[in-house]
Amino acid sequence: MSSSTDPTSEAKQLGPNSNDKLFMAFLVLVVIAVTMLGVVNYKEALKTEASKSNGEAWVAWLTEVGTNRFEADTHTPACKGGVKPVANAKTDAEGTWGACLKHILSATELKDQINPFFDAAPHFVAACVPSDRTLMGAILLEDLMATPPGSATPFVATQLVETDAIDYKMQLRLSVCDKGGYAIKVAEFEF
């Protein structure tokens, strides 16, 4: 009696069949896609790190100048402390942040910085807003004003604008906006 389950009567196929080959091709495509996403994300992360480096350079320069800006022979007279600006001062009047910023952007190594997201000079913003895609790599510089002892918040942060007086020892916070528009705190420092 012959049986239909006889193993010798069936033709055996060795190696992968067409479904196996299709699955392997799919796996190769997944590996390629993951690699490409990794490369793109790495490049974007480098841009964020370059923006943070820009912010760190600003912090280093402002901190260094802040140590001797109240001295009579300071090397940066545009950023000199103790100089009261006139009432209703314009943006580049002596004793204002505008005059100091103008000096920084024209006579220091910071003038050559590039925002890696747009290949342009970094700009200052009032706040990092996730819905605004033009703020990637922007710099947020805030003046931290101390509140009275016992307050719920130790300080109030306001954007440092060009008409602000810089005649006192200032506590500043510098942040940069990342790709998503969120603020990355770089440092708090005295100026």
Side-chain angles (χ1 to χ4, degrees):
M1 174 163 150
S2 86
S3 168
S4 63
T5 60
D6 186 15
T8 57
S9 65
E10 293 180 11
K12 289 187 176 184
Q13 179 183 6
L14 299 176
N17 61 22
S18 60
N19 286 338
D20 293 336
K21 291 177 184 177
L22 184 63
F23 180 71
M24 285 187 276
F26 174 72
L27 287 179
V28 167
L29 289 175
V30 168
V31 168
I32 290 170
V34 167
T35 303
M36 288 174 53
L37 283 173
V39 168
V40 168
N41 286 337
Y42 179 75
K43 288 179 181 177
E44 292 300 318
L46 286 178
K47 291 178 183 178
T48 300
E49 287 302 314
S51 295
K52 285 173 53 178
S53 294
N54 285 346
E56 290 167 353
W58 276 87
V59 169
W61 192 90
L62 290 170
T63 302
E64 180 183 336
V65 168
T67 59
N68 65 3
R69 73 185 190 104
F70 288 93
E71 296 174 6
D73 61 342
T74 183
H75 300 296
T76 54
C79 300
K80 185 166 177 53
V83 178
K84 288 237 182 246
V86 296
N88 299 327
K90 302 293 184 214
T91 59
D92 60 350
E94 189 175 284
T96 64
W97 171 242
C100 184
L101 182 62
K102 184 177 178 181
H103 170 74
I104 293 169
L105 295 177
S106 65
T108 68
E109 66 275 0
L110 298 176
K111 69 180 178 193
D112 298 326
Q113 283 187 340
I114 299 294
N115 179 342
F117 289 102
F118 299 111
D119 291 327
H123 61 284
F124 289 87
V125 295
C128 293
V129 181
S131 61
D132 190 353
R133 305 299 290 167
T134 64
L135 300 181
M136 296 185 297
I139 297 173
L140 172 61
L141 188 59
E142 297 171 299
D143 186 9
L144 304 177
M145 299 296 287
T147 57
S151 297
T153 57
F155 54 82
V156 175
T158 58
Q159 180 193 12
L160 188 61
V161 294
E162 293 179 351
T163 55
D164 285 349
I166 58 170
D167 60 332
Y168 58 96
K169 193 67 142 171
M170 305 172 79
Q171 183 72 22
L172 301 177
R173 176 173 52 204
L174 190 135
S175 305
V176 294
C177 301
D178 68 1
K179 180 183 177 185
Y182 294 97
I184 299 174
K185 180 181 160 187
V186 176
E188 290 182 9
F189 58 98
E190 282 190 355
F191 175 66

